[in-house]
Amino acid sequence: MNWKQQELSSSNSTNTSSKYSYIDFVQKPVEIYVFIDPLCPECWSLEPYLKKLAVEYGRFFTLRPILSGQLNSLNKDIFDKPKQLKQIWEKTASRTGMSCDGDLWTENDISSPWLASLAIKAAELQGKKAGKTFLRKVQESAFLGKQNISEVPVLMKCAEDSRLDVEEFEYDLFSSTAKKAFQSDLKLTQEMEVDYIPSIVFFNQRTDGQGIKISGLYPYDIYVQILKQILQKDPLPSSKPPLESFVQYYQVVGSKEIAVVYDWSIAKTEREMKKMQLRQTVKKIPVKYGTFWEYIQH
């Protein structure tokens, strides 16, 4: 991220060492696998917690999204029930505060849901950061924009918005390399016995201990507790970046995401974002549930 994250250590830590060497910054000790599906509303609802974890403890871990394919394999006939899917999305949105516009299912024919997953692997061929940016754009297109992410033109627009090399992306989309990468994710999902999405697996890369798996959505403190357990350290969280820096980095953020990261109420978040709106720093995105904001490039 483009804001400076300073190293902090707890004064009441019971660890043998209260300081971390320079190597901790270069080779992050923890790898977090996040098993997701781009059309899973609960995976989308996990975003606020992943952002907060990155802001507060990102100096300790790398995040690796794994495309599980669970939405396809576990619910083979669910795509034939658009009204049911609409209901699931709307309930999730009202419960979590992360808008999921269920009208997508009644307005579009999602005939090839696997194509979005293949596209994410194609984007990752341009780098991990490129893959994560593209994944987010795909989710925004589906949950906020009601776009059919099983259509190539929609995926091409996501690639353009993610500032990928569009020609390279188009070539990679149906390449054997992208297919093999997706198959590798599916194999990993099976090997780790992931049968629910979202699921998160924490690994300490410096020990031979087993990873810790957590399935479903949990309060933020649970993720922190597991991270500290796997680290075998009790570090303090990094300080929060200025709000404008945070919004500029992510480009499009929900009020729920900001509220979670900054420990604010939704009401306070809305007030702060309206100040930014008056300064013409952000614009409000019309969505069905909650509020989303887009940073304005000057």
Side-chain angles (χ1 to χ4, degrees), residues 121-137:
K121 302 316 291 184
E124 285 179 1
L125 295 176
Q126 297 188 35
K128 290 181 180 179
K129 185 179 179 182
K132 288 174 185 175
T133 303
F134 180 78
L135 166 61
R136 174 71 183 201
K137 289 298 177 188

Side-chain angles (χ1 to χ4, degrees), residues 114-123 125-126 134 149-156 159 166-180 182:
W114 53 268
L115 188 57
S117 295
L118 200 61
I120 292 161
K121 302 316 291 184
L125 295 176
Q126 297 188 35
F134 180 78
I149 59 171
S150 71
E151 292 182 345
V152 172
V154 174
L155 295 171
M156 294 301 296
V166 178
E167 286 185 15
E168 187 180 334
F169 171 78
E170 187 174 19
Y171 173 79
D172 288 333
L173 183 55
F174 294 103
S175 70
S176 60
T177 310
K179 288 175 185 175
K180 284 176 183 175
F182 183 32

Side-chain angles (χ1 to χ4, degrees), residues 171-214:
Y171 173 79
D172 288 333
L173 183 55
F174 294 103
S175 70
S176 60
T177 310
K179 288 175 185 175
K180 284 176 183 175
F182 183 32
Q183 286 166 356
S184 178
D185 277 14
L186 297 179
K187 185 180 178 183
L188 192 59
T189 303
Q190 190 174 19
E191 288 175 351
M192 291 193 182
E193 299 178 349
V194 171
D195 54 11
Y196 187 88
I197 51 170
S199 283
I200 300 180
V201 183
F202 294 75
F203 289 102
N204 188 330
Q205 301 187 88
R206 298 181 189 169
T207 68
D208 294 327
Q210 288 187 328
I212 299 176
K213 182 171 70 175
I214 179 169

Side-chain angles (χ1 to χ4, degrees), residues 67-247:
L67 297 163
S68 67
Q70 293 294 308
L71 203 60
N72 297 334
S73 60
L74 294 181
N75 306 286
K76 290 178 181 177
D77 64 336
I78 199 166
F79 292 101
D80 295 326
K81 301 174 181 176
K83 288 182 180 178
Q84 184 182 332
L85 277 165
K86 176 179 177 176
Q87 190 177 31
I88 291 169
W89 274 36
E90 309 264 315
K91 280 184 178 179
T92 305
S94 58
R95 187 180 81 246
T96 66
M98 287 290 283
S99 190
C100 310
D101 197 333
D103 290 339
L104 167 72
W105 295 101
T106 53
E107 294 177 8
N108 288 290
D109 177 24
I110 311 290
S111 54
S112 308
W114 53 268
L115 188 57
S117 295
L118 200 61
I120 292 161
K121 302 316 291 184
E124 285 179 1
L125 295 176
Q126 297 188 35
K128 290 181 180 179
K129 185 179 179 182
K132 288 174 185 175
T133 303
F134 180 78
L135 166 61
R136 174 71 183 201
K137 289 298 177 188
V138 165
Q139 289 176 310
E140 289 169 8
S141 297
F143 295 110
L144 308 180
K146 298 187 293 181
Q147 297 291 306
N148 185 347
I149 59 171
S150 71
E151 292 182 345
V152 172
V154 174
L155 295 171
M156 294 301 296
K157 181 67 166 62
C158 289
E160 187 181 327
D161 292 344
S162 305
R163 297 184 178 178
L164 299 184
D165 181 321
V166 178
E167 286 185 15
E168 187 180 334
F169 171 78
E170 187 174 19
Y171 173 79
D172 288 333
L173 183 55
F174 294 103
S175 70
S176 60
T177 310
K179 288 175 185 175
K180 284 176 183 175
F182 183 32
Q183 286 166 356
S184 178
D185 277 14
L186 297 179
K187 185 180 178 183
L188 192 59
T189 303
Q190 190 174 19
E191 288 175 351
M192 291 193 182
E193 299 178 349
V194 171
D195 54 11
Y196 187 88
I197 51 170
S199 283
I200 300 180
V201 183
F202 294 75
F203 289 102
N204 188 330
Q205 301 187 88
R206 298 181 189 169
T207 68
D208 294 327
Q210 288 187 328
I212 299 176
K213 182 171 70 175
I214 179 169
S215 300
L217 286 173
Y218 286 84
Y220 176 70
D221 290 347
I222 299 296
Y223 301 113
V224 174
Q225 183 183 323
I226 294 172
L227 180 62
K228 289 180 177 180
Q229 184 180 338
I230 207 90
L231 274 171
Q232 299 176 343
K233 301 177 191 285
D234 189 20
L236 289 176
S238 296
S239 55
K240 307 282 199 302
L243 178 60
E244 186 169 334
S245 298
F246 176 80
V247 179

